[in-house]
Amino acid sequence: MGENIQTFSQDLRCKSWQTEGILRMLLNTIDSDVAEDSINLIVYGTGKAARNKEAIRKMIELLKELQEDETLLIQSGKPVAVFTTSSLAPRVLAVNSVIVPAYANWEYFRELEKNELTMYGQSTASAWAYIGTQGIQQGTSEAFQAIAEQNFQGTLAGKWILTSGLGGMGSAQPLAIKASGGVSLIVEIDAKKVERSIKYHICDICTDSLDDALAHVEQAKQMQMPLSVALIGNAAEVYQELFHRGIIPDVVTDQTSAHDLLNGYIPADYTVEHAERIRKQIPEMYLEDARQTVIQHVKAMVGFKEKGAVVFDYGNNIRQQAALAGYEEALSFPNFTYYIRQLQCEGYSPFRWVALSGDPNDIYLIDQLILDYFSSNSKVKHWIEYAQANIRFQGLPSRVCWLKAEERILLAEKINKMVANGVLSGPILFTRDHMDAGSMASPLRETEGMKDGSDVIGDWPILNALLNTCNGAAFVSFHHGGGVGIGYSLHAGMSVVADGSREMGERFQNIFLGDVGVGIVRYADAGYETAQKKAKELGLGL
Ligand code: NAD
């Protein structure tokens, strides 16, 4: 495609930094150091950044030409039109993977996809906001620490955690478990992913022998030494084997791409190569094998729970897949958002920023700014210090950090001044995860078990996207099916650039209060007292 994000510079290819920021994020998302499979435009967990290479080529061309009173429309990864709007409007509006509710299932979706009418865009993949494994790292750490606090007096020291999947998101698990003091055994079928995890110090040890893996786990547990052991194997087979041997971990979860049984999840007795062949040649057989495997996989998880382990679904819809395949007890353990509901009620959720210059020092300068301004916030301070020491940048240097609305506003305004004064070497793009307080309707994840029964209400993410559009974010998107798959979630994305201008500086208050505030109001409306208090404090709600 002839475009290279490594040509970091101050040179604008577009008419403004708002558009240039969007272009750099598109290229970053498909960069081979960031995406799981950049050749096929798959960013993480089977989600694509764009429909095909031709769509990317056209988007680059259109973004370069886009005027400051124009908006580019993207329909499921394909550019479809440029409209004259206004300088305050977003430069890009994108809607991904949305289909009319009565048809919102994988079967129908795959037919549309085959006819090149749509694509599966996950969440930050098609919102061009993916920054590699770091993006989910702090959230994963928050989740495992919450589990430690709620079950093991605040630490995972001397505990062992059985999990699986070393893909884009799953690779955040080993470091997060170690950060809380625990020992992890991570089952991954793809030897290349295991090799990568060793290369980048995500895992400490790898083996293809269960006995060998267990010996390392046992030793580390006895010594209360944090350790991550990657085991090459099929998660369903290993979970069953452990259960039959009567070996019960302290905590069990899973991050295989079970949301998509055909393209993401590998059935028992399949190698990666065999899976690639059979899913193309005999998809019905593949799906049937995957269904039988996922039932056994989740049966073992339920068995572990009955024997006293803390078991939870890690946002990949594995429970529902097993339930759909015919295992009725599959939904008998909770999903991970159960542990973070109160944080979302306060609007405390995963914010992220990216140095568009490509200069890592910009990120370190912002780290220092945070350490100075949020020094009394021990969680933030701990995370930034941890991230500096342990996180490898993938693609454009970036940082994720859970922050509340008021903290995002303060930070964005200060960073904008640093850009204006030349302290930073270039503009900074702000974006966020889709599991942010205001963005997600997902009845088997973020909105499971809502106090007022509003789990499946899908209005809120649409309000979120509309409000971000009114408030002048540079990129606003609305999506279907991220994380848990087609039919199970609706969510919204946004990005905006601190370009150092006074005009942008003035927008941040409305943008971030609106973006996060929708979530606080959503939880307040559902009857959560923490959210009601927070909404009052921020002057939101009726
Ligand atoms: P990915 O596709 O990049 O990685 C999944 C990994 O699982 C792959 O490396 C694959 O080889 C492995 N795998 C598949 N089947 C297996 C099996 N039976 N046994 C062992 N290994 C197997 O996906 P990802 O980005 O890491 O995401 C993992 C899942 O988490 C997805 O379903 C995704 O939608 C979901 N997700 C979770 C969160 C969260 O916050 N926790 C957020 C977004 C998405």
Side-chain angles (χ1 to χ4, degrees), residues 478-526:
F478 180 73
H479 313 244
H480 166 214
V484 277
I486 293 301
Y488 293 103
S489 62
L490 293 171
H491 41 107
M494 60 84 68
S495 301
V496 63
V497 177
D499 57 11
S501 69
R502 195 170 49 83
E503 298 73 34
M504 279 321 292
E506 285 168 359
R507 281 194 212 178
F508 292 138
Q509 167 80 22
N510 288 353
I511 289 177
F512 295 124
L513 190 56
D515 187 41
V516 181
V518 171
I520 296 169
V521 172
R522 191 262 179 275
Y523 288 105
D525 188 64

Side-chain angles (χ1 to χ4, degrees), residues 45 122 167-170 188-189 193 235 255 257 259 264 266 314 316 483:
Q122 273 283 13
M169 296 280 172
E188 165 60 60
I189 189 85
K193 301 277 173 79
Q255 273 214 63
S257 268
H259 70 276
I266 305 214
Y314 213 150
N316 62 355

Side-chain angles (χ1 to χ4, degrees), residues 289-331:
D289 289 345
R291 282 189 211 105
Q292 292 313 316
T293 302
V294 88
I295 289 179
Q296 297 311 321
H297 195 154
V298 175
K299 260 190 187 163
M301 293 174 83
V302 171
F304 287 132
K305 184 189 160 233
E306 283 165 358
K307 296 276 181 201
V310 174
V311 181
F312 65 99
D313 174 310
Y314 213 150
N316 62 355
N317 220 16
I318 194 163
R319 295 171 307 170
Q320 181 69 359
Q321 296 287 26
L324 288 174
Y327 177 46
E328 281 173 14
E329 286 158 69
L331 285 148

Side-chain angles (χ1 to χ4, degrees), residues 118-179:
T118 189
M119 68 160 197
Y120 183 60
Q122 273 283 13
S123 304
T124 51
S126 55
W128 308 339
Y130 186 69
I131 55 169
T133 294
Q134 183 192 176
I136 202 72
Q137 190 67 57
Q138 193 191 5
T140 309
S141 303
E142 289 278 354
F144 279 108
Q145 187 52 34
I147 285 158
E149 272 154 29
Q150 289 173 32
N151 301 282
F152 306 108
Q153 281 119 31
T155 174
L156 294 179
K159 307 290 171 206
W160 79 283
I161 292 84
L162 173 66
T163 185
S164 36
L166 284 168
M169 296 280 172
S171 291
Q173 300 175 99
L175 283 178
I177 292 166
K178 272 172 74 174

Side-chain angles (χ1 to χ4, degrees), residues 267-461:
D269 295 326
Y270 280 50
T271 60
V272 175
E273 296 71 29
H274 185 61
E276 258 167 41
R277 218 172 30 253
I278 300 299
R279 69 164 62 100
K280 282 195 193 108
Q281 290 170 358
I282 328 174
E284 304 76 24
M285 182 178 113
Y286 189 102
L287 271 171
E288 187 44 35
D289 289 345
R291 282 189 211 105
Q292 292 313 316
T293 302
V294 88
I295 289 179
Q296 297 311 321
H297 195 154
V298 175
K299 260 190 187 163
M301 293 174 83
V302 171
F304 287 132
K305 184 189 160 233
E306 283 165 358
K307 296 276 181 201
V310 174
V311 181
F312 65 99
D313 174 310
Y314 213 150
N316 62 355
N317 220 16
I318 194 163
R319 295 171 307 170
Q320 181 69 359
Q321 296 287 26
L324 288 174
Y327 177 46
E328 281 173 14
E329 286 158 69
L331 285 148
S332 66
F333 53 86
N335 90 78
F336 77 109
T337 51
Y338 166 84
Y339 297 99
I340 57 169
R341 172 75 38 90
Q342 285 307 316
L343 306 179
Q344 301 264 359
C345 285
E346 287 191 82
Y348 177 65
S349 40
F351 192 45
R352 52 179 78 162
W353 51 92
V354 180
L356 295 176
S357 64
D359 184 351
N361 200 42
D362 285 355
I363 297 297
Y364 299 132
L365 286 168
I366 297 170
D367 285 347
Q368 194 52 51
L369 175 80
I370 293 181
L371 291 174
D372 293 344
Y373 274 88
F374 302 112
S375 56
S376 57
N377 185 333
S378 59
K379 273 192 170 181
V380 167
K381 186 171 173 290
H382 176 257
W383 163 249
I384 293 292
E385 286 169 351
Y386 174 84
Q388 273 200 349
N390 293 284
I391 301 288
R392 177 185 80 91
F393 295 138
Q394 289 173 258
L396 288 170
S398 59
R399 185 69 79 223
V400 65
C401 185
W402 284 45
L403 290 176
K404 297 178 186 170
E406 57 275 32
E407 294 166 334
R408 296 180 193 197
I409 295 164
L410 180 75
L411 185 70
E413 289 174 351
K414 293 219 170 291
I415 289 177
N416 200 46
K417 284 196 184 123
M418 287 165 86
V419 175
N421 298 338
V423 176
L424 299 177
S425 54
I428 301 292
L429 178 135
F430 300 111
T431 185
R432 59 158 170 74
D433 200 335
H434 289 203
M435 61 170 282
D436 216 66
S439 139
M440 187 63 91
S442 186
L444 292 168
R445 240 173 74 164
E446 283 80 352
T447 54
E448 179 170 285
M450 294 293 288
K451 224 173 176 175
D452 62 347
S454 60
D455 306 21
V456 303
I457 295 295
D459 301 337
W460 300 97

Side-chain angles (χ1 to χ4, degrees), residues 61-135:
E61 191 184 303
L62 290 168
L63 284 167
K64 282 183 180 171
E65 288 166 5
L66 200 72
Q67 300 297 320
E68 280 311 276
D69 61 351
E70 289 181 335
T71 299
L72 168 63
L73 263 51
I74 309 285
Q75 180 262 323
S76 290
K78 185 179 91 171
V80 286
V82 171
F83 282 89
T84 299
T85 52
S86 87
S87 61
L88 290 171
R91 296 283 68 84
V92 174
L93 290 174
V95 175
N96 291 300
S97 322
V98 179
I99 47 182
V100 169
Y103 305 86
N105 57 53
W106 276 117
E107 215 180 0
Y108 215 103
F109 183 83
R110 286 206 172 97
E111 205 51 39
L112 296 168
E113 194 181 32
K114 203 165 77 194
N115 294 332
E116 296 184 17
L117 295 171
T118 189
M119 68 160 197
Y120 183 60
Q122 273 283 13
S123 304
T124 51
S126 55
W128 308 339
Y130 186 69
I131 55 169
T133 294
Q134 183 192 176

